[in-house]
Amino acid sequence: MNTAEAKNLDHSDVYLSEGAEGVRACIDAAQPAERVSKSNTPEKTKKRKESGFGFEVGESGVFFVDKESDEKTWVCSELRITAQTRNNKSAAWGRLLEWKDADGMAHSWAVPMELLQSDGRELRGELVRQGLLISPSRKARDYLATYIQTWRVRQRARCVEKLGWHGGVYVTSTQCYGESDESVVFQNSHALEPALSVVGTVEQWRDSVGRLAVGNSRLVFSISTAFAGVLLDLSKLDNGGFHLRGDSSTGKSTAIYAACSVWGKPKSYIRQWRATANGLEGVAALHNDGVLMLDEIGQANSKEIGETVYMLSNGQGKTRANKTGAAREPASWRVLFMSSGEISLAGIMAQAGKHAAAGQEIRLVDIEADAGAGMGIFETLHDIATPADFAQVVNDAAATNYGAAGAEWLRCVVADRESVAGIVLDGIKQFTREVVPKGSVGQVERVALRFALVSVAGELATHYGLTGWQQGESEEAAKACFAAWLEGFGTGNREDAALLAQVRAFFEAHGASRFESMTATHEQRVTNRAGFMRTNATGETEYLVLLEAFKAELCKGADHKKAAKTLQAAGWIVGGGDGRPTQKLRLPSMGLTRCYVFTSAMWGGEA
């Protein structure tokens, strides 16, 4: 390549055809190095050309212009700075960048200015990843950061650091749904990337994934859950999750994949339990006002998963210090999450020697994946030979049609936000009235509200023509899944049931080995004694449990005062006439001593 050719070549075209080495050869052939004479500027740069602060921008790219020599250095392909961004507190300033990749696909990024205060490697890496061509020259790369920081732009845009609802506007990583006084953009300072993407049309998704789900309660429920995350703010309900539990090859992952296809490519949208609690904070924040899909709970850290479930449900991460030592605002989110695996939350916590509290079990409710039709999660195969073949068809459909249903769902909900809010609240009340058994504790109703939200979301999506289902399909699926959960959980208080089971297990395990007879001789004394035994007037055995053994062993992990009230209400212990749950009795070698008197009532019925 001779010097004349080099001076008249568009560096962007050279980069496309010959790569970085071609650009270097072109630059070396032109003198002085790294520069192109203004008189020989390619004609393309004269179109839509702008200038300012020593830079010119045209279709050939961004050029730095040396004021003394009037010569140019090519910095990158065409990159427009269209607005200055800042948050509601006039902080977190940034720049809204727009460019096209080699395929002509448009990209935009609200880049925080803080990324420009280091060596710029992270900034350049993200721009290159999304198709911007950047000069291999170190000097030109430095010019890129200068250009972004100094280019004058009057347009303002409001930046948000969380996706989801901001007033009546719903913000995704690439688009803002709804109207606002000014542009609203997502400014992502995290390395994690939202996984929203679109391939195909709503009709194609509806006629493939949506059609195959018909008649399969677990598939319909999972897909409805994907729609439900957007309605969480409108419903005013708490965060929470669902866990599809079942043996390998029952189709659990297929249900999760089908749900993921509402929003993006399943393999990209789905996340893994195999992460630290801190790592899941960032993931949850990126799914704010949406749904988080987590696969394979068996890979989770058994020591941390209980706290992770609390964290996801409570909607807030840890408070940490910034570089100055001041408290940094913790990450927060509203999210529904759905999980799958061969083991329950209680099962995986047991591997670490921990007990799943009722609060954790109602935050991540356990649904039996097997629908009871002898085909795993499936109940109808739509004329496909085997459940395995049907699962493959669903997976293939989800992998080739995704994202369009979620985008259209957002348009519909944003446009009808006020009326949708009323429909959601009314639908939730109706569903819970129908499914919650009389006499159930508040825990059951609390979980029913979450199932109700999923039911309403699926019915609304059907109303908008997104699913291809008949009205009532989502409601029936939610009722079937709620019934499966309730069968395993029961209608009573979970903490009380767990306490009763724990106390009974203590007596079953130890019995006479820890309780000394009231008439025992010196040789019959019991070491490591928890109390005494006696036979009452009806010939039944009663256990007199000493106070410290009651607190430390029988009520381990529970509030002993609350436990005493529960046991007394169940008739397992008989209190004294003074209103206390204990009695003051004369015990061998101890004299008058307070103890808990357990009756034979604890052996009757289920704990």
Side-chain angles (χ1 to χ4, degrees):
M1 182 183 297
N2 59 41
T3 303
E5 290 174 329
K7 288 183 177 180
N8 286 281
L9 253 169
D10 183 343
H11 290 66
S12 300
D13 293 335
V14 173
Y15 196 102
L16 283 172
S17 62
E18 301 180 32
E21 292 301 323
V23 173
R24 288 194 185 94
C26 178
I27 293 171
D28 291 341
Q31 295 297 329
E34 296 285 354
R35 294 174 179 172
V36 179
S37 169
K38 184 177 181 180
S39 61
N40 289 319
T41 300
E43 186 64 23
K44 288 180 73 175
T45 63
K46 296 180 181 179
K47 298 177 182 179
R48 298 175 59 242
K49 184 169 65 178
E50 300 176 24
S51 61
F53 289 98
F55 292 93
E56 286 187 0
V57 186
E59 292 183 1
S60 288
V62 177
F63 291 84
F64 174 73
V65 182
D66 190 297
K67 293 183 179 180
E68 295 182 359
S69 64
D70 210 27
E71 294 174 336
K72 298 181 179 180
T73 302
W74 180 74
V75 177
C76 64
S77 54
E78 185 177 8
L79 177 68
R80 300 281 173 173
I81 304 173
T82 58
Q84 294 188 64
T85 61
R86 75 277 189 239
N87 65 18
N88 289 327
K89 299 178 181 179
S90 197
W93 284 80
R95 297 288 187 270
L96 181 59
L97 311 181
E98 296 182 358
W99 70 97
K100 291 183 179 180
D101 60 25
D103 292 333
M105 182 174 290
H107 295 264
S108 65
W109 182 24
V111 57
M113 292 296 284
E114 61 185 284
L115 287 184
L116 299 166
Q117 305 313 304
S118 59
D119 61 3
R121 179 179 299 178
E122 186 176 355
L123 167 75
R124 294 192 301 273
E126 181 62 19
L127 290 171
V128 168
R129 193 187 67 81
Q130 296 193 52
L132 185 74
L133 305 178
I134 299 177
S135 170
S137 163
R138 179 177 297 178
K139 182 185 293 185
R141 292 203 303 265
D142 292 340
Y143 285 150
L144 175 61
T146 304
Y147 163 64
I148 294 173
Q149 292 184 88
T150 61
W151 187 264
R152 181 176 296 170
V153 57
R154 296 181 179 180
Q155 185 69 29
R156 295 288 194 273
R158 189 66 60 188
C159 70
V160 295
E161 295 184 348
K162 286 196 301 185
L163 304 178
W165 290 107
H166 295 273
V169 172
Y170 193 99
V171 179
T172 71
S173 57
T174 58
Q175 192 170 349
C176 178
Y177 295 84
E179 296 182 358
S180 178
D181 295 337
E182 62 180 341
S183 297
V184 181
V185 296
F186 173 56
Q187 185 162 294
N188 183 9
S189 59
H190 307 288
L192 292 168
E193 180 189 8
L196 303 182
S197 56
V198 176
V199 167
T201 65
V202 173
E203 292 74 21
Q204 289 171 327
W205 181 86
R206 181 185 63 207
D207 295 340
S208 57
V209 179
R211 179 185 64 81
L212 292 167
V214 172
N216 291 292
S217 60
R218 272 56 173 177
L219 278 178
V220 170
F221 182 79
S222 299
I223 292 171
S224 298
T225 301
F227 288 113
V230 173
L231 304 180
L232 199 58
D233 178 44
L234 280 65
S235 70
K236 308 304 178 186
L237 296 181
D238 295 330
N239 298 351
F242 305 98
H243 177 62
L244 283 177
R245 174 187 50 78
D247 295 336
S248 177
S249 302
T250 55
K252 305 180 301 297
S253 294
T254 297
I256 297 291
Y257 269 49
C260 288
S261 71
V262 171
W263 295 109
K265 186 177 182 180
K267 286 189 176 181
S268 300
Y269 191 87
I270 197 169
R271 307 287 181 164
Q272 299 295 322
W273 275 110
R274 191 177 182 180
T276 64
N278 292 345
L280 282 176
E281 281 187 25
V283 172
L286 281 177
H287 291 77
N288 182 59
D289 285 326
V291 62
L292 171 61
M293 295 292 180
L294 295 163
D295 199 18
E296 292 302 334
I297 198 172
Q299 295 182 355
N301 187 322
S302 58
K303 296 180 180 179
E304 292 185 356
I305 191 169
E307 295 304 316
T308 301
V309 168
Y310 273 134
M311 179 197 71
L312 291 175
S313 300
N314 294 341
Q316 184 167 303
K318 293 180 180 178
T319 300
R320 297 178 175 85
N322 59 21
K323 294 180 180 179
T324 65
R328 186 173 62 191
E329 185 176 353
S332 61
W333 53 83
R334 283 183 300 261
V335 71
L336 286 181
F337 51 102
M338 193 164 195
S339 166
S340 70
E342 298 177 29
I343 190 171
S344 66
L345 172 64
I348 194 169
M349 290 182 66
Q351 293 176 358
K354 294 190 174 185
H355 174 70
Q360 292 163 325
E361 290 186 305
I362 65 172
R363 283 169 171 80
L364 181 62
V365 300
D366 195 67
I367 302 171
E368 175 61 55
D370 193 324
M375 298 183 290
I377 72 163
F378 308 122
E379 291 145 283
T380 179
L381 302 181
H382 297 283
D383 299 324
I384 295 172
T386 67
D389 291 341
F390 182 73
Q392 188 60 54
V393 171
V394 174
N395 289 334
D396 291 344
T400 52
N401 301 283
Y402 52 81
E408 185 60 27
W409 170 243
L410 289 177
R411 294 186 189 96
C412 295
V413 173
V414 169
D416 300 336
R417 179 181 164 93
E418 292 186 8
S419 60
V420 165
I423 292 170
V424 168
L425 294 175
D426 291 342
I428 288 174
K429 290 179 182 177
Q430 178 66 26
F431 183 94
T432 53
R433 279 198 299 265
E434 293 178 4
V435 303
V436 176
K438 291 183 180 180
S440 298
V441 294
Q443 295 167 334
V444 173
E445 184 171 356
R446 180 178 172 184
V447 171
L449 293 172
R450 195 181 315 148
F451 279 89
L453 178 63
V454 173
S455 169
V456 174
E459 293 300 324
L460 269 172
T462 298
H463 168 75
Y464 285 125
L466 304 181
T467 65
W469 307 335
Q470 294 293 320
Q471 289 292 334
E473 182 86 34
S474 175
E475 181 181 350
E476 290 306 312
K479 287 180 177 178
C481 291
F482 177 77
W485 168 77
L486 190 62
E487 183 179 356
F489 187 86
T491 58
N493 185 287
R494 193 68 165 180
E495 284 103 339
D496 290 352
L499 173 69
L500 296 177
Q502 178 176 316
V503 170
R504 178 186 285 177
F506 178 85
F507 287 102
E508 289 175 345
H510 300 294
S513 67
R514 297 288 305 280
F515 292 89
E516 184 178 304
S517 172
M518 293 281 283
T519 59
T521 64
H522 181 77
E523 291 76 14
Q524 294 173 324
R525 294 287 172 87
V526 172
T527 57
N528 193 24
R529 184 176 55 198
F532 296 85
M533 293 187 302
R534 72 179 183 185
T535 303
N536 63 18
T538 61
E540 295 175 336
T541 300
E542 292 180 339
Y543 292 89
L544 316 180
V545 181
L546 300 175
L547 298 185
E548 291 306 317
F550 181 83
K551 294 178 184 179
E553 297 187 74
L554 274 73
C555 302
K556 185 178 182 180
D559 184 314
H560 74 277
K561 293 182 179 180
K562 182 180 177 182
K565 292 179 180 179
T566 299
L567 293 164
Q568 193 169 13
W572 288 22
I573 61 175
V574 179
D578 55 3
R580 297 185 185 183
T582 57
Q583 295 185 33
K584 198 169 187 180
L585 301 175
R586 188 173 298 279
L587 302 178
S589 72
M590 298 182 69
L592 286 175
T593 306
R594 283 201 171 272
C595 59
Y596 293 90
V597 179
F598 279 79
T599 71
S600 59
M602 64 178 164
W603 304 118
E606 294 185 5

